[in-house]
Amino acid sequence: MGNASGLLVIERILRDRQGIWQQVVEDRGLHRLTGQMLLSSVVALAVYGAVLGSFHSVLMALTSAVKLPLLFLVTLAICLPTLYLFNLVFGARLSIRQSLALVMVALTVTAMLALAFAPISLFFLITAPDYSFFKLLNVAILGLSALVGLRFLTGGMRVLNDHGLLAPAPAEVVAAPAPAAAPVPVPAAVGAGNGATPAASSCSATPAAAPNAAWPQRPPQRPVAPPRPPSMTLLYVWIFLFGFVGTQLAWTLRPFFGSPGMKFSLYRDIDGNFYAEIFRTIADLF
């Protein structure tokens, strides 16, 4: 961890991602690394949540600053045990610390990238304060940030797969002793004193001249790539599950933006779903 001194954790993730993956592989200093990523993610999401809620009022901005980090952390708490158990069932050798660190890398990248988009969101809030456009813009920002973060997650899992942490430990195979090769008979040298002619000598040496002629040559075989472990396949299933849980939880915790025609409310009745609301917003915009 000495090379992380004086650097933001997101800077280390972006500049030295191989060092991050190696630290996860070695299960070294993950408590400190996870704590740094957690703090950075909460601060970044709180700032971005305040930008979202500022469309309505200061009170909504403060509420969204609490809700947005809560949304990601609760979704992580719900889905992380599933990822860990998936790995255990299919023989991966990941600890709970390694699984949490991997997901926190993705969450940190998502949060910091959303924070980088905050000035753009604030710019459109000031210059084009349209509720439908502002909502779709920020949903697109969060979706893009999440895709980049999940790309880091899949990249980290591939590194762990290269180090053999996603597949069961191979059983030790005791090699059987190779059978002793049969001695190859060598024709005796024929001298001039035994009365043999040079033609006879050449005929007797003919079978030994091409010992491999009777054995057909096999064509060279291409190396077969090792099969992808089930943990990598289930990772994509887990990503879909994480997104589904996150969007439903976001619908439950709404409002984040605050409709301009409605008074402030901490939460709203659970009716409809997130995807129907997005389609309705697109229809209202166009």
Side-chain angles (χ1 to χ4, degrees), residues 13 17-18 21 24-25 83 87 94 98-99 101-107 109-110 145-163 166 228-229 231-240 242:
I13 291 174
R17 68 184 69 179
Q18 292 301 323
W21 302 142
V24 174
V25 167
L83 177 64
N87 290 323
L94 288 180
Q98 291 171 307
S99 301
L102 275 175
V103 181
M104 282 305 304
V105 170
L107 181 58
V109 173
T110 300
S145 302
L147 286 177
V148 176
L150 292 174
R151 185 176 180 84
F152 272 75
L153 176 61
T154 56
M157 290 292 280
R158 290 190 184 98
V159 172
L160 296 185
N161 182 35
D162 293 340
H163 285 79
L166 299 187
R228 184 169 61 180
S231 298
M232 281 299 297
T233 303
L234 290 175
L235 175 64
Y236 296 100
V237 178
W238 183 84
I239 289 174
F240 174 79
F242 186 89

Side-chain angles (χ1 to χ4, degrees), residues 37-200:
M37 292 189 293
L38 178 62
L39 178 61
S40 300
S41 301
V42 169
V43 172
L45 291 172
V47 173
Y48 189 76
V51 174
L52 299 183
S54 60
F55 185 90
H56 185 274
S57 61
V58 175
L59 189 56
M60 182 63 72
L62 295 176
T63 304
S64 296
V66 176
K67 282 185 177 181
L68 193 62
L70 186 65
L71 166 64
F72 280 86
L73 294 180
V74 173
T75 305
L76 175 61
I78 292 174
C79 297
L80 182 63
T82 305
L83 177 64
Y84 180 62
L85 289 177
F86 274 173
N87 290 323
L88 288 183
V89 168
F90 288 94
R93 299 186 299 280
L94 288 180
S95 66
I96 189 67
R97 291 187 303 274
Q98 291 171 307
S99 301
L100 178 59
L102 275 175
V103 181
M104 282 305 304
V105 170
L107 181 58
T108 304
V109 173
T110 300
M112 299 304 293
L113 190 57
L115 179 62
F117 277 109
I120 299 176
S121 179
L122 193 59
F123 170 77
F124 281 103
L125 172 62
I126 297 173
T127 59
D130 181 80
Y131 176 65
S132 297
F133 173 76
F134 185 73
K135 183 162 61 173
L136 288 178
L137 172 67
N138 286 279
V139 168
I141 288 174
L142 288 174
L144 176 62
S145 302
L147 286 177
V148 176
L150 292 174
R151 185 176 180 84
F152 272 75
L153 176 61
T154 56
M157 290 292 280
R158 290 190 184 98
V159 172
L160 296 185
N161 182 35
D162 293 340
H163 285 79
L165 294 179
L166 299 187
E172 295 184 359
V173 179
V174 179
V184 179
V186 179
V190 181
N194 58 2
T197 63

